[in-house]
Amino acid sequence: MIYDVIIIGAGMGGLTAGALLAKDGLKTLVIEKHSIPGGYATSFKRKGFWFDSVLDAISGCNNGGWIWQALKRLGLEKEIEFIRLDPIRTDVFPDFRFDVKADIDLFISDLQSLSPKDAKGISELFSIMKELHHVVMTLPADVVWRDTRIEAKYPLFHKYKNKTFKELLDEYAQDEKVRAILCDRCAFMGLPPSKVSAIGMSTMIITYGMNGGYRVKGLTQKFPDALAESIRNNNGDIIYNTKVDKIIIEDNRAAGVVTEDGRVFRAKKIASNISARKTFFDLVGKENLKHDFIDKIENLLPSVSFFLVYLGIDMGLKGLGLNHSIGTYPSFDIEATFSDINRDICSPNASFETIIYTLTNPDMAPKGCHSLILMTKAGYDYKENWKGCKNKEAERLIKMAEQIIPNLSNHIIVQDSATPLTLERYTGNDKGAAFGWAQGIDHVGANRLQIETPIKDLYLTGHWTIPGGGVESVVASGILVERKIIKG
Ligand SMILES: Cc1cc2nc3c(=O)[nH]c(=O)nc-3n(C[C@H](O)[C@H](O)[C@H](O)COP(=O)(O)OP(=O)(O)OC[C@H]3O[C@@H](n4cnc5c(N)ncnc54)[C@H](O)[C@@H]3O)c2cc1C
């Protein structure tokens, strides 16, 4: 049999593309190496405690957002419920805490109250960021980044498309607290303010500020499970525990795949949801690629990775002033929080995130208990590839977290951890990259790998292509792949 489409990998990008194409009536096959769908967007259970593998908050679940659009097309918008987070998060600095409100006007006025002398600059900054967000969200990426005729219509976009977020901030906000708060989620873009794209960072801040951050009600796993079920309900197939080893290339077009156990599946079109390097170098083979394309991929950098400690604890958290999502910073210098990630992840410069799932989904832990993750940015090659240091680093991170949860170490019932190597092992993402390619100015928009590839009938979906990292973006990439395939 020849499938209409084969999707390699059941991450959120692959599942979205697969579910929409199956709904369109195309005979679709998804092949996934893990035993469950979702990639990074999965959940697991340890001794009565549920954990989401990595996710904190997702965007795009509001009316009109990319996730909402996909679910509506699939008729799943009532099945998957989202909890809107307000405040979105709390930033904890020494002697100062700030709640990032989910209402953008309140967020702006809170920043202005912190630094009245910056008030005008903050207003101007937000109107620029809103314009950048508007352009990214409303125009097709391949048009807006490449078509110079757009310049006249959106001069601000073209002014900032090759600038970093620090360069944008330097023009409009001088107060160290305001700057630190605006850079608080650099960790979720994977780069410090001096490297992260002004457009990427602005889009993230405005998306969350205007449209909200969300968690799946119940458990993240419900979302990929619903997409997988939708594929099967629409006559599609999903095979788990099966790794794709090769993409069959015939006459410079993708014609099928070969799995690790030697099975051959043929298709008219193929979409890869896995690491782009693995897709092209391992599955397609360099012999089928032009030198300039090989060079381009070799010069792109994977995004940052993380060290995560999963904790099930038997203590209440009332009275500690804790929010479901907390960033803890040793100073207002967010740039410095990136400086030691390959040398000492718990150094005096390190920041860390605390994600308390049970403050939004109490059923994820037994009564009176909580499930949480501590996470900090971390290099893949850290201390000779994490040899023998995982438990020690976990203990150090737990000690750091006692700044905000006193006595934490005396209440641990369940403890597990994941290094960048663990993330790579489970999902195949190179070096445990959290967001696909890095999200600096030379890795976004037209500089990122596009959905169409130099191999005919081979497409990319997920965070190694446009728009970029994060669940909303990869769902968007799934929608874009579906459109390309349907258009032929
Ligand atoms: C620590 C951390 C925190 C994050 N926090 C957030 C957050 O709060 N909000 C947010 O929106 N995003 C967050 N992200 C990013 C987000 O999780 C990812 O960008 C997104 O989930 C990636 O989806 P994807 O479609 O690219 O596929 P992936 O999740 O990368 O999945 C790829 C799938 O392909 C499978 N696969 C790989 N190789 C093969 C093969 N050869 N054959 C078959 N199958 C294969 C894998 O098993 C996997 O299931 C975070 C990421 C990390 C690591």
Side-chain angles (χ1 to χ4, degrees), residues 295-364:
D295 287 348
K296 180 176 167 84
I297 297 180
E298 276 174 348
N299 286 320
L300 289 171
L301 297 172
S303 58
V304 75
S305 190
F306 287 85
F307 177 59
L308 302 102
V309 177
Y310 303 90
L311 297 176
I313 57 172
D314 67 350
M315 67 188 281
L317 298 174
K318 279 211 176 88
L320 296 177
L322 294 176
N323 184 356
H324 45 79
S325 177
I326 306 143
T328 308
Y329 309 88
S331 77
F332 295 116
D333 185 358
I334 302 293
E335 190 80 24
T337 67
F338 284 79
S339 58
D340 295 334
I341 61 179
N342 292 309
R343 201 179 56 79
D344 182 1
I345 54 167
C346 295
S347 86
N349 288 322
S351 64
F352 66 95
E353 300 289 327
T354 308
I355 302 168
I356 309 174
Y357 290 116
T358 30
L359 290 183
T360 42
N361 281 309
D363 292 343
M364 285 177 74

Side-chain angles (χ1 to χ4, degrees), residues 3-7 21 26-29 267-269 271 485:
Y3 281 93
D4 290 316
V5 187
I6 291 176
I7 316 267
L21 289 161
L26 271 62
K27 184 68 187 163
T28 303
L29 168 66
K268 295 177 192 156
K269 311 264 181 197
I485 289 180

Side-chain angles (χ1 to χ4, degrees), residues 147-163:
D147 189 339
T148 46
R149 283 168 305 177
I150 304 277
E151 253 164 65
K153 201 162 172 212
Y154 300 105
L156 282 174
F157 184 85
H158 286 275
K159 177 170 177 197
Y160 290 105
K161 76 175 186 183
N162 290 322
K163 296 218 166 165

